[in-house]
Amino acid sequence: MRVFITGMGGELGTAVAQLVEDDPSFEAVAGADLFPPRRRLDRAEFHRIDPRNRERMSAVIRAFAPTALLHLGVYEPYSRSSPRAAVARTAAGTAVALEAALAGGRLDRVVVRSGIEVYGRRRGAPLHPDEEVPPAPTSAFGHTMLHVEQVSREAGRRAGAAVTVLRFAPIVGPHVPSPLGRLLRLPAVPFSPLADPAFSVVHQHDVAAAFVAAMRQPFQGPLNVVGPGAVTASQAARLGGRAPVPVVGSGWQVARALARLAGAPVPDHVQELLVRGRTADASRVTEVLGIRMLHHTPDVVRQLYAWEPIDYLRSTAA
C-alpha cells in the first residue's frame, strides 16, 4: 500500500504519518502540507506545498501514485489559517489531491477528515445525531466540510474506491491549534447561562488511530468519531480554574471582540457550540472499525489545561 497524507505537517498529520511509517506492511508513505511536520519522520517523504499551488501539488501526488489517500488537509478557521485562507486552502487542496490521486491510476481507498459540524444545530435538530441524520450545516466550517465530503464521494465513485468519511468532534488538546482550545484556555470563558449546553471533543491520538484503522479496513460512508462523555462550557472553565462568564444576546459580539484581542478569535462554529452544544452518537465506529475512543471528553479538557505555556528565554546581555 502506498499512502499519501495531505495535511501531514500538522499535529494530527504528523501523528498519522508516524503510525503509518512504523508499520512495515505499508510500502511507502508521503505527504504534503503548508507547514513542516511537528516531529521527526524516518521513512515518510514530506513536501512543503501550499494547497493552493495546484500545479506543484498535482505533480507530487501523480508521481507518487498512491493506492490510499488520507485527506487531513481540511483547514479550520483560526486554527492555522484565517477564515478566508482556510476555505481556499481546503477547497483547492481537496480538489487537486483527489484529481491527482485518481490520475495515478492505483487509488483504491480514501479516508477523509470531516466533523460533526456538518449536522448543524438548527432548532429541533437531534442532540446526538448518528450517521443516518442528513447533514444540514449551520456554520461556515460545517459547509466547508460537507463540500469536502461531496467532492470525495464523487472522486471515489469515479475511481471505484471506498471513501470513508470520519466526522470528528472538535479536536482539542496540547499542541493542537484549535480555536475552541484557545478560547477555553483564556482566564475567563464565556458561556450561555440560558442553557449551558453540553459538547464533546476528541483526543488527537484517537483521531490518528481512527485514520489508520479506516485505511486498513475500507468502509463506504460516514463514521462519527467522538470522545465519550461531555462537558458544558462552564464546567470546562472550572476544570481549568478559569472564570465562567455568562453571556446572552448581543453580549456575544462583545465577548468575541474581547476574545480576539486576547488572541483567541471565535469563529461561528465555536460560538454555535457554546450556545447550542455539539455531541453525536459514535457507536458505529466501534462496530465497523473495531476501535474505541480511549480518552473521555472531561479528560481531554483536563489535558488541555495541564499543558504549560512556553517560557521563552530572555537574553541577559546588556
Side-chain angles (χ1 to χ4, degrees):
M1 191 184 301
R2 297 177 61 80
V3 183
F4 195 92
I5 305 171
T6 65
M8 183 191 274
E11 183 75 18
L12 302 178
T14 304
V16 171
Q18 287 181 311
L19 291 178
V20 173
E21 72 173 9
D22 286 346
D23 188 335
S25 67
F26 298 118
E27 175 188 340
V29 56
D33 201 355
L34 179 65
F35 306 100
R38 302 298 180 90
R39 297 181 182 86
R40 178 184 176 86
L41 297 174
D42 297 320
R43 192 160 62 92
E45 176 186 333
F46 174 75
H47 302 268
R48 189 170 186 177
I49 310 171
D50 189 311
R52 294 171 294 187
N53 187 340
R54 294 172 181 262
E55 183 176 350
R56 186 168 174 230
M57 179 73 87
S58 178
V60 166
I61 297 176
R62 284 170 181 258
F64 184 74
T67 61
L69 176 67
L70 302 189
H71 185 41
L72 284 82
V74 176
Y75 295 83
E76 184 177 5
Y78 295 126
S79 174
R80 296 191 292 166
S81 302
S82 68
R84 180 175 296 181
V87 171
R89 286 183 174 127
T90 299
T94 298
V96 71
L98 289 163
E99 288 296 329
L102 281 174
R106 303 177 62 186
L107 188 68
D108 65 14
R109 66 195 68 186
V110 179
V111 185
V112 180
R113 175 186 173 180
S114 186
I116 61 175
E117 288 85 355
V118 300
Y119 296 115
R121 291 298 295 121
R122 288 183 171 84
R123 293 189 181 279
L127 294 178
H128 304 281
D130 61 17
E131 293 86 352
E132 301 304 318
V133 173
T138 48
S139 66
F141 190 41
H143 281 286
T144 293
M145 289 190 290
L146 182 57
H147 176 71
V148 170
E149 291 188 13
Q150 293 167 341
V151 172
S152 301
R153 277 195 293 268
E154 174 59 22
R157 184 192 63 79
R158 290 163 52 197
V163 177
T164 307
V165 174
L166 299 179
R167 292 174 176 166
F168 295 106
I171 305 167
V172 301
H175 312 296
V176 175
S178 158
L180 176 61
R182 292 193 195 102
L183 181 69
L184 293 178
R185 282 174 57 85
L186 292 179
V189 178
F191 76 99
S192 174
L194 302 178
D196 197 18
F199 63 90
S200 300
V201 297
V202 64
H203 194 276
Q204 64 261 37
H205 292 170
D206 289 331
V207 171
F211 261 103
V212 175
M215 179 179 56
R216 290 191 174 117
Q217 298 175 251
F219 172 77
Q220 183 67 42
L223 294 170
N224 294 337
V225 183
V226 180
V231 296
T232 68
S234 65
Q235 290 171 344
R238 293 188 180 98
L239 284 175
R242 269 59 175 177
V245 178
V247 179
V248 296
S250 60
W252 281 104
Q253 296 179 6
V254 177
R256 293 179 71 170
L258 292 175
R260 177 185 284 274
L261 288 174
V266 182
D268 62 345
H269 65 282
V270 171
Q271 181 177 335
E272 182 179 75
L273 174 149
L274 297 173
V275 175
R276 304 297 308 279
R278 179 160 285 124
T279 61
D281 182 338
S283 57
R284 181 179 293 180
V285 72
T286 299
E287 299 170 3
V288 172
L289 300 183
I291 60 172
R292 294 184 180 275
M293 301 301 102
L294 301 179
H295 302 81
H296 289 234
T297 288
D299 295 330
V300 177
V301 173
R302 290 189 184 95
Q303 287 186 30
L304 174 71
Y305 288 120
W307 177 39
E308 294 296 330
I310 297 173
D311 290 326
Y312 293 97
L313 297 177
R314 295 176 180 272
S315 174
T316 57

